[in-house]
Amino acid sequence: MENKKQLNVYENVCRQFNQAADRMNLDFEIRKILSKTMNEISVNFPVKMDDGRIEMFTGYRVQHNNVLGPFKGGLRFHPAVDIHEVRALATWMTWKSAIMDIPFGGAKGGIQFDPRKYSRNELERITRRFTFALGCNIGPEYDIPAPDVNTNAQIMAWMLDTYASTMPAHVRQACTHVVTGKPVEAGGSIGRDKATGQGVVFTIVQWAKDTRFDLNGATYSVQGFGNVGSWASRLLKSYGATLIAVEDATGAIQSNDGLDPDILTSYVNDTGGVKDFPGSKKVEHAEFFTTSVDIFIPAALENQITAATAPGLNVKLIAEGANGPTDPDGDRILQEKGINVLPDILCNAGGVIVSYFEWLQNKRSEFWDLVEVDGKLYKKIISGYHRVRETAQEFKMDWRTAAYIVALRRLEKVYKDRGIFP
Ligand code: GLU
């Protein structure tokens, strides 16, 4: 997989933001506010390793904006995590929540390391020590982390436990919503695990309806086979579509007869990657990108669809499960080629939407069933989809810029209503 990042992914966000702000004539003063992140927390903290050594880690939490509600966004564990990436991801979260009409702002965090190189006990201590280092920079009504790349429900359970343990005894029970994406038994929501993939599939199905495209018999490829890629693949299979190619950090595989996403999920859980999946042939990165399919779902890292890869893409639709998979050059090429794009801040919002439902359930001491969660997710994400589609039609523009305009209009209105203190 192409892991080489462009120098600074935050520059992509700035370019996207400026383009949308110009097109909609965003208020000049509000533009100044939204073009900066509010708070940037960077922490260096020591962790004891299994062999008794101490290792130092660097973690980040960037809070972009909270005018619509508490800061919200995931935490990732990856060697490529740096301040630019976290800044970009935090900013995308602000737009995402604003488009989906949920009362959250945007934040993101992470630790710069490769979790595959550490034992489970070490991961627990790294997570707990990071949570402790963040201290009151997070909180159930202030900033609410969630899973992202290489983090999961277990990591969230350790965070909750650490955060609550540092609080006075009488407020600990009121802390459950300090993180979302928890295990269901520890206060998580049913349906949160599959939520991002489910949202990706809901938006693909809506696109198929709108464009009169038959998903039954369609083909798709997926980059990244973690939570988002595997769930999206499995859920799309039930519409009669066939998975043809998958790429992850271990390599790329392909089969014209189709890859079974359910079997592939168990295989990846057992082996750690898609490499050598029985019945598939190994392909190179370049060949993976030129595989002809109807739908391509990038569900890995940023900057994958670029001036280098976009020209070879042979697809009708790109459904962005990842955050920031397409850079501005890639975007321009996709537009020239007439490839439809469901942009990340619309397409992958299912995760934060169900995080909002989890947060609400915790606050009200309620447990909703899957029918209720999925039904509400569908309503939220499809309403967002329609807002973006209408805006794209109104301005006769691409869906990414339209999605930005939906978000920016909402934020502009709130700033105008509230004014600036003092
Ligand atoms: N990490 C996910 C995202 O990028 C989910 C964030 C959340 O649930 O707060 O949207």
Side-chain angles (χ1 to χ4, degrees), residues 96 99-100 195-204 206 344-351 353 357 374-388:
K96 211 184 283 187
I99 293 164
M100 291 303 148
T196 309
Q198 182 68 75
V200 168
V201 171
F202 281 155
T203 57
I204 292 174
Q206 189 61 43
D344 47 7
I345 49 178
L346 161 64
C347 184
N348 73 29
I353 291 173
F357 298 157
D374 277 354
K376 288 189 155 124
L377 166 60
Y378 178 81
K379 224 171 141 190
K380 271 273 174 222
I381 201 160
I382 296 305
S383 304
Y385 175 102
H386 285 135
R387 281 190 283 278
V388 172

Side-chain angles (χ1 to χ4, degrees), residues 179-257:
V179 286
T180 57
K182 300 177 288 288
V184 173
E185 302 75 13
S189 177
I190 286 185
R192 175 62 185 84
D193 192 39
K194 72 175 172 96
T196 309
Q198 182 68 75
V200 168
V201 171
F202 281 155
T203 57
I204 292 174
V205 170
Q206 189 61 43
W207 168 86
K209 267 189 210 151
D210 287 353
T211 56
R212 298 204 169 76
F213 176 81
D214 192 0
L215 285 174
N216 192 8
T219 54
Y220 60 108
S221 63
V222 177
Q223 189 194 38
F225 213 73
N227 172 282
V228 181
S230 70
W231 272 113
S233 301
R234 281 178 278 167
L235 294 165
L236 200 53
K237 173 186 153 185
S238 66
Y239 290 85
T242 305
L243 177 62
I244 298 291
V246 181
E247 179 180 55
D248 74 0
T250 65
I253 57 169
Q254 195 190 307
S255 166
N256 290 334
D257 299 332

Side-chain angles (χ1 to χ4, degrees), residues 298-344:
L301 298 174
E302 305 89 53
N303 286 342
Q304 300 300 309
I305 302 170
T306 61
T309 54
L313 279 170
N314 192 358
V315 304
K316 293 188 178 66
L317 174 71
I318 293 174
E320 295 184 340
N323 290 307
T326 309
D327 77 2
D329 292 338
D331 249 333
R332 188 180 34 78
I333 295 165
L334 297 182
Q335 281 172 44
E336 284 163 12
K337 291 175 70 127
I339 295 175
N340 287 184
V341 177
L342 292 170
D344 47 7

Side-chain angles (χ1 to χ4, degrees), residues 54-316:
I54 299 288
E55 215 173 289
M56 288 301 291
F57 291 85
T58 302
Y60 303 94
R61 185 71 180 169
V62 172
Q63 298 163 335
H64 172 256
N65 189 279
N66 66 350
V67 78
L68 296 179
F71 298 114
K72 184 84 189 82
L75 285 177
R76 68 172 56 175
F77 290 175
H78 196 277
V81 166
D82 65 18
I83 189 68
H84 305 293
E85 183 187 59
V86 179
R87 218 174 251 158
L89 293 162
T91 310
W92 280 318
M93 287 307 301
T94 303
W95 315 145
K96 211 184 283 187
S97 293
I99 293 164
M100 291 303 148
D101 198 9
I102 52 179
F104 285 143
K108 202 77 165 205
I111 308 177
Q112 187 187 71
F113 80 119
D114 183 353
R116 286 172 307 182
K117 297 191 175 136
Y118 294 83
S119 73
R120 182 183 159 92
N121 282 334
E122 287 170 337
L123 278 183
E124 175 173 354
R125 288 195 294 275
I126 294 166
T127 304
R128 287 185 183 276
R129 201 51 214 237
F130 178 50
T131 310
F132 180 73
L134 287 176
C136 287
N137 289 301
I138 59 169
E141 305 290 334
Y142 179 60
D143 183 354
I144 305 126
D148 196 77
V149 174
N150 293 334
T151 55
N152 55 25
Q154 176 61 75
I155 304 279
M156 295 305 117
W158 288 329
M159 290 193 72
L160 162 61
D161 188 70
T162 309
Y163 181 85
S165 300
T166 62
M167 291 290 140
H170 69 285
V171 294
R172 277 179 207 151
Q173 297 306 327
C175 291
T176 317
H177 53 305
V178 66
V179 286
T180 57
K182 300 177 288 288
V184 173
E185 302 75 13
S189 177
I190 286 185
R192 175 62 185 84
D193 192 39
K194 72 175 172 96
T196 309
Q198 182 68 75
V200 168
V201 171
F202 281 155
T203 57
I204 292 174
V205 170
Q206 189 61 43
W207 168 86
K209 267 189 210 151
D210 287 353
T211 56
R212 298 204 169 76
F213 176 81
D214 192 0
L215 285 174
N216 192 8
T219 54
Y220 60 108
S221 63
V222 177
Q223 189 194 38
F225 213 73
N227 172 282
V228 181
S230 70
W231 272 113
S233 301
R234 281 178 278 167
L235 294 165
L236 200 53
K237 173 186 153 185
S238 66
Y239 290 85
T242 305
L243 177 62
I244 298 291
V246 181
E247 179 180 55
D248 74 0
T250 65
I253 57 169
Q254 195 190 307
S255 166
N256 290 334
D257 299 332
L259 302 158
D260 187 311
D262 291 297
I263 303 174
L264 184 58
T265 300
S266 325
Y267 179 82
V268 169
N269 287 342
D270 292 345
T271 66
V274 302
K275 186 172 172 262
D276 297 332
F277 179 58
S280 70
K281 78 166 183 183
K282 178 181 183 299
V283 290
E284 293 307 317
H285 178 66
E287 199 180 339
F288 169 78
F289 258 91
T290 50
T291 305
S292 167
V293 283
D294 296 311
I295 301 164
F296 173 41
I297 306 175
L301 298 174
E302 305 89 53
N303 286 342
Q304 300 300 309
I305 302 170
T306 61
T309 54
L313 279 170
N314 192 358
V315 304
K316 293 188 178 66

